[in-house]
Amino acid sequence: MENISSDFAIKVLQEDADRIKLLIRNQTNSLCISQCKAFEEVVDTQMYGFSRQVFFAEKVGILKRGEGQKMLSELETELNRLYTDLYETRQDTTDAGWEA
């Protein structure tokens, strides 16, 4: 079996994290993101799968303890920021509608 470097594992996990971020960014319909249970379930499933990959990488020693948690925390922070941005954009659009 070939040894897997920590750098390679981090690169692969970061690509997965970026894919999850892209999933949210590509949703042009902010109403769907905020009200669509199916979309929330997809994101939750993706996050769960990613967390299991991180846990495994830490458990087998590919990642140092804490590196994976840092990746998860950064992803959750980014996703929260994306959701907040979409919510604020939706609020701005709604507020503008009241003024018209």
Side-chain angles (χ1 to χ4, degrees):
M1 182 172 131
E2 188 177 315
N3 289 335
I4 298 174
S5 74
S6 179
D7 290 339
F8 179 73
I10 290 170
K11 179 181 179 256
V12 169
L13 288 170
Q14 191 58 56
E15 288 171 357
D16 284 350
D18 291 343
R19 185 179 42 77
I20 294 169
K21 291 176 199 174
L22 188 61
L23 173 71
I24 293 192
R25 284 190 189 121
N26 284 339
Q27 288 298 311
T28 57
N29 182 351
S30 61
L31 183 61
C32 179
I33 287 177
S34 63
Q35 296 179 351
C36 184
K37 294 295 180 193
F39 181 77
E40 288 179 23
E41 287 182 23
V42 168
V43 172
D44 288 346
T45 300
Q46 293 293 314
M47 287 295 295
Y48 177 76
F50 183 72
S51 71
R52 301 315 307 157
Q53 289 175 316
V54 166
F55 176 75
F56 177 77
E58 281 189 348
K59 190 172 183 175
V60 299
I62 294 171
L63 294 178
K64 294 177 188 167
R65 184 171 301 282
E67 278 183 314
Q69 292 305 315
K70 182 179 177 193
M71 291 182 83
L72 281 169
S73 178
E74 288 172 356
L75 179 57
E76 288 172 351
T77 299
E78 176 70 10
L79 291 176
N80 284 334
R81 186 188 64 74
L82 288 169
Y83 274 120
T84 299
D85 289 350
L86 287 168
Y87 176 77
E88 288 174 357
T89 299
R90 184 169 169 250
Q91 285 299 109
D92 290 345
T93 303
T94 303
D95 292 345
W98 285 103
E99 295 175 6

